[in-house]
Amino acid sequence: MTGNSSPARRRSVTLAGKEKVATDTYVLRFELPSGDSIHTVAGQYVTFLLERNGKSVTRSYSITSEPGSHAAFELVIKKVAGGFASNLLCDAPLGTAFTVLAPLGKFVVHDPGGRSALFVATGTGIAPFFPMIQALHRDRPQTDTTLVVGYRYPADIILNERWTRLSEAWPRFHLVNVLSRPDPEWAVKPRHVQEALRERFRDLSNFDVYICGAPEMVSDVQDLSVQLGASKDRIFVERY
Ligand SMILES: Cc1cc2nc3c(=O)[nH]c(=O)nc-3n(C[C@H](O)[C@H](O)[C@H](O)COP(=O)(O)OP(=O)(O)OC[C@H]3O[C@@H](n4cnc5c(N)ncnc54)[C@H](O)[C@@H]3O)c2cc1C
């Protein structure tokens, strides 16, 4: 159900849109030159070729917009305190040109073949899950699909309305937001994704598990998924 993407190559892109969607987090839209297009598969990423103090540096960002053939793509980027690329990209004025290598990556949706799907992310690790879960909805709508995503504060939650719209349209889709520092006035227990997974799932033997985000969380959730019975070859990960 993944299909083929364009071959990866250097492409010129221009920053064409910017929207703040959560604390320090932006959806950035990049356009290709007129007549150019890129064919992506849900879950792939682009790598920016940047220069810092005369040295080349690269940083990768998951494509969050619809897969297929398009003349533009969107990314969700969080400004990291003191971070070079995330601040450069989020602070760039519209019209700024960049060079990217794209599309890249093999973190894509696999045919569930009757299994359920579990997606686990923290923060901007949710970025590739927008197109991946939409692809599953389009191609395998009978799949029971759960997205567990961890943030610190309520204001960190990214594009929640897209997921609530999807839950309304697709009863087999379940969203679980987990806050490690919820508003003290809320009757919500501070939790991490690992605790939410233990509470909600007893047996993952019939699941495909997709995990994306900070390397430590990815390894933890990978181990936990195996403990809960997930087959190692049905666990797919992307480490930021
Ligand atoms: C395949 C792939 C896809 C990715 N997709 C996305 C995406 O969709 N959105 C996104 O925002 N990021 C994504 N990342 C992470 C991104 O590539 C950068 O690592 C991130 O933006 C930080 O880069 P920087 O240059 O701003 O920070 P740097 O200058 O590299 O780091 C500055 C400081 O911040 C620390 N730091 C680095 N990253 C983080 C972090 N995430 N949280 C807290 N501290 C950090 C570093 O340890 C260092 O001390 C992805 C990474 C990979 C490998």
Side-chain angles (χ1 to χ4, degrees), residues 137 160-175:
H137 178 213
N160 205 49
E161 62 289 353
R162 289 200 192 169
W163 298 119
T164 42
R165 269 205 306 275
L166 184 63
S167 322
E168 283 158 19
W170 188 23
R172 289 187 184 272
F173 173 69
H174 309 282
L175 168 66

Short mmCIF file of all heavy atoms in Angstrom, two decimals, residues 137 160-175:
data_model
loop_
_atom_site.label_atom_id
_atom_site.label_comp_id
_atom_site.label_asym_id
_atom_site.label_seq_id
_atom_site.Cartn_x
_atom_site.Cartn_y
_atom_site.Cartn_z
N HIS A 137 -6.40 5.13 6.57
CA HIS A 137 -7.84 5.41 6.51
C HIS A 137 -8.35 5.24 5.07
O HIS A 137 -9.39 4.62 4.85
CB HIS A 137 -8.10 6.83 7.01
CG HIS A 137 -9.54 7.24 6.95
ND1 HIS A 137 -9.93 8.53 6.71
CD2 HIS A 137 -10.68 6.53 7.07
CE1 HIS A 137 -11.25 8.60 6.70
NE2 HIS A 137 -11.72 7.40 6.92
N ASN A 160 -4.57 19.35 16.92
CA ASN A 160 -5.50 18.37 17.47
C ASN A 160 -6.80 18.28 16.66
O ASN A 160 -7.39 17.21 16.54
CB ASN A 160 -5.83 18.76 18.92
CG ASN A 160 -6.25 17.57 19.73
OD1 ASN A 160 -5.60 16.54 19.71
ND2 ASN A 160 -7.39 17.69 20.39
N GLU A 161 -7.22 19.45 16.11
CA GLU A 161 -8.51 19.46 15.39
C GLU A 161 -8.50 18.53 14.18
O GLU A 161 -9.52 17.96 13.82
CB GLU A 161 -8.92 20.90 15.00
CG GLU A 161 -8.01 21.66 14.06
CD GLU A 161 -6.67 22.10 14.67
OE1 GLU A 161 -6.46 21.95 15.89
OE2 GLU A 161 -5.82 22.59 13.90
N ARG A 162 -7.31 18.32 13.57
CA ARG A 162 -7.26 17.38 12.44
C ARG A 162 -7.59 15.97 12.89
O ARG A 162 -8.27 15.22 12.20
CB ARG A 162 -5.86 17.37 11.82
CG ARG A 162 -5.55 18.64 11.07
CD ARG A 162 -4.41 18.38 10.10
NE ARG A 162 -3.93 19.64 9.60
CZ ARG A 162 -2.80 19.78 8.90
NH1 ARG A 162 -2.05 18.74 8.65
NH2 ARG A 162 -2.41 20.96 8.47
N TRP A 163 -7.09 15.61 14.08
CA TRP A 163 -7.35 14.26 14.59
C TRP A 163 -8.79 14.12 15.05
O TRP A 163 -9.39 13.06 14.89
CB TRP A 163 -6.40 13.91 15.73
CG TRP A 163 -4.97 13.91 15.31
CD1 TRP A 163 -3.97 14.70 15.80
CD2 TRP A 163 -4.35 13.07 14.32
NE1 TRP A 163 -2.79 14.41 15.17
CE2 TRP A 163 -2.99 13.41 14.27
CE3 TRP A 163 -4.82 12.06 13.49
CZ2 TRP A 163 -2.09 12.79 13.40
CZ3 TRP A 163 -3.93 11.44 12.63
CH2 TRP A 163 -2.58 11.80 12.59
N THR A 164 -9.34 15.17 15.67
CA THR A 164 -10.73 15.03 16.14
C THR A 164 -11.67 14.92 14.93
O THR A 164 -12.61 14.13 14.95
CB THR A 164 -11.16 16.17 17.08
OG1 THR A 164 -10.69 17.40 16.57
CG2 THR A 164 -10.63 16.02 18.47
N ARG A 165 -11.35 15.64 13.85
CA ARG A 165 -12.15 15.51 12.62
C ARG A 165 -12.06 14.08 12.09
O ARG A 165 -13.05 13.48 11.69
CB ARG A 165 -11.64 16.48 11.54
CG ARG A 165 -12.33 17.84 11.57
CD ARG A 165 -12.27 18.51 10.20
NE ARG A 165 -10.94 18.63 9.66
CZ ARG A 165 -10.11 19.62 9.94
NH1 ARG A 165 -10.50 20.59 10.75
NH2 ARG A 165 -8.90 19.67 9.41
N LEU A 166 -10.85 13.52 12.13
CA LEU A 166 -10.66 12.15 11.61
C LEU A 166 -11.42 11.15 12.49
O LEU A 166 -12.04 10.22 11.98
CB LEU A 166 -9.17 11.81 11.55
CG LEU A 166 -8.85 10.45 10.93
CD1 LEU A 166 -9.27 10.39 9.46
CD2 LEU A 166 -7.36 10.13 11.03
N SER A 167 -11.39 11.35 13.83
CA SER A 167 -12.14 10.43 14.72
C SER A 167 -13.62 10.47 14.39
O SER A 167 -14.30 9.43 14.45
CB SER A 167 -12.02 10.80 16.19
OG SER A 167 -10.78 11.24 16.50
N GLU A 168 -14.13 11.65 14.06
CA GLU A 168 -15.57 11.76 13.75
C GLU A 168 -15.89 11.03 12.44
O GLU A 168 -16.92 10.37 12.32
CB GLU A 168 -15.97 13.24 13.63
CG GLU A 168 -16.11 13.90 15.00
CD GLU A 168 -15.98 15.41 14.94
OE1 GLU A 168 -16.14 15.99 13.85
OE2 GLU A 168 -15.71 16.00 16.00
N ALA A 169 -14.96 11.12 11.48
CA ALA A 169 -15.20 10.52 10.16
C ALA A 169 -14.90 9.01 10.15
O ALA A 169 -15.38 8.30 9.28
CB ALA A 169 -14.34 11.21 9.12
N TRP A 170 -14.08 8.56 11.11
CA TRP A 170 -13.58 7.18 11.05
C TRP A 170 -13.67 6.57 12.46
O TRP A 170 -12.76 6.71 13.28
CB TRP A 170 -12.12 7.22 10.58
CG TRP A 170 -11.51 5.89 10.30
CD1 TRP A 170 -12.13 4.72 9.99
CD2 TRP A 170 -10.09 5.60 10.28
NE1 TRP A 170 -11.21 3.73 9.79
CE2 TRP A 170 -9.95 4.23 9.95
CE3 TRP A 170 -8.94 6.36 10.50
CZ2 TRP A 170 -8.71 3.62 9.85
CZ3 TRP A 170 -7.70 5.75 10.40
CH2 TRP A 170 -7.58 4.39 10.07
N PRO A 171 -14.79 5.86 12.74
CA PRO A 171 -15.00 5.34 14.10
C PRO A 171 -13.92 4.37 14.55
O PRO A 171 -13.76 4.14 15.74
CB PRO A 171 -16.35 4.63 14.01
CG PRO A 171 -16.99 5.12 12.75
CD PRO A 171 -15.90 5.58 11.83
N ARG A 172 -13.15 3.77 13.64
CA ARG A 172 -12.10 2.83 14.04
C ARG A 172 -10.81 3.53 14.49
O ARG A 172 -9.85 2.88 14.87
CB ARG A 172 -11.78 1.87 12.90
CG ARG A 172 -12.89 0.88 12.66
CD ARG A 172 -12.47 -0.16 11.66
NE ARG A 172 -13.56 -1.06 11.35
CZ ARG A 172 -13.82 -2.17 12.04
NH1 ARG A 172 -13.08 -2.49 13.06
NH2 ARG A 172 -14.83 -2.94 11.70
N PHE A 173 -10.81 4.88 14.42
CA PHE A 173 -9.61 5.63 14.80
C PHE A 173 -9.78 6.21 16.21
O PHE A 173 -10.79 6.82 16.53
CB PHE A 173 -9.35 6.77 13.80
CG PHE A 173 -8.23 7.67 14.24
CD1 PHE A 173 -6.92 7.22 14.25
CD2 PHE A 173 -8.49 8.96 14.68
CE1 PHE A 173 -5.89 8.03 14.68
CE2 PHE A 173 -7.46 9.79 15.10
CZ PHE A 173 -6.16 9.32 15.10
N HIS A 174 -8.74 6.01 17.04
CA HIS A 174 -8.80 6.49 18.43
C HIS A 174 -7.56 7.33 18.72
O HIS A 174 -6.44 6.88 18.45
CB HIS A 174 -8.86 5.32 19.41
CG HIS A 174 -9.93 4.36 19.04
ND1 HIS A 174 -11.26 4.58 19.30
CD2 HIS A 174 -9.87 3.19 18.37
CE1 HIS A 174 -11.98 3.58 18.82
NE2 HIS A 174 -11.15 2.73 18.26
N LEU A 175 -7.77 8.50 19.28
CA LEU A 175 -6.67 9.40 19.63
C LEU A 175 -6.52 9.45 21.14
O LEU A 175 -7.49 9.65 21.87
CB LEU A 175 -6.99 10.82 19.12
CG LEU A 175 -6.10 11.94 19.63
CD1 LEU A 175 -4.67 11.77 19.11
CD2 LEU A 175 -6.64 13.30 19.20
#
